[in-house]
Amino acid sequence: MMHTRGIVRVVSGIGVVAAVALPLAACGSDSGGGSATGGDAVAMMQSAMDGGGAVTCEITDAEQPGSMSIAGADRYRILARSDGETVNLLRDGSDVYVWKDGGTTGMKTTADSQTGMTLPNIQEAIDQERAAPTVDMECAADGDVDAKLVAPDEVEFQTVP
């Protein structure tokens, strides 16, 4: 069962241990300039999950700030900020990468691996947010999302089966 404040998953791997927070919620109304809040932001996320373009959302919740870029059900990147660190979780098809900003090592695995890592269920979170928004967020269409959905070359990823 998902907490109303978001999905919290523990992601562990060689040299990387991080709690990845995915607070998917929206409050407020349209904010113009091509961005959306409230139910319109949730609709943009759903469209991106369904393959109808790409979206990047900035989450401004004081407890769980971060961002998320979505370009399909199996193409997304989540940045969770906590205690001055940013943890990245990137899913590109079946490949899953986890690393910290500024770090030189990270973990690479597959979505169906036996690592015990549970990937965020974005669709479940979107469905919940239609009923009970809990965190401030602003989303905008993102024509440059492909650049965000690439693992960085400067990080050495250790493959975990």
Side-chain angles (χ1 to χ4, degrees):
M1 185 59 111
M2 185 171 57
H3 298 102
T4 57
R5 301 256 341 132
I7 298 172
V8 177
R9 300 289 186 237
V10 175
V11 179
S12 62
I14 301 171
V16 178
V17 176
V20 175
L22 177 61
L24 293 181
C27 300
S29 60
D30 285 333
S31 59
S35 62
T37 60
D40 291 337
V42 174
M44 289 179 79
M45 292 171 59
Q46 183 65 63
S47 178
M49 285 288 290
D50 294 341
V55 65
T56 293
C57 301
E58 291 297 323
I59 302 159
T60 58
D61 181 75
E63 288 183 39
Q64 297 178 334
S67 67
M68 166 178 34
S69 297
I70 304 170
D74 64 353
R75 288 195 72 221
Y76 55 83
R77 180 172 177 178
I78 301 165
L79 285 79
R81 295 179 191 97
S82 178
D83 297 328
E85 292 187 323
T86 300
V87 176
N88 297 265
L89 183 141
L90 168 67
R91 179 171 182 186
D92 186 9
S94 64
D95 293 330
V96 178
Y97 303 86
V98 180
W99 73 97
K100 290 182 182 179
D101 277 1
T104 58
T105 61
M107 176 186 76
K108 178 184 178 187
T109 190
T110 60
D112 60 354
S113 75
Q114 300 300 310
T115 63
M117 180 174 74
T118 303
L119 294 176
N121 186 330
I122 295 175
Q123 185 61 59
E124 180 182 322
I126 289 171
D127 293 344
Q128 177 180 336
E129 292 312 315
R130 285 190 181 108
T134 59
V135 178
D136 289 332
M137 176 176 67
E138 184 173 351
C139 297
D142 190 343
D144 194 32
V145 75
D146 286 338
K148 297 173 184 165
L149 299 178
V150 176
D153 291 334
E154 64 273 11
V155 175
E156 181 181 332
F157 291 95
Q158 298 177 9
T159 302
V160 179

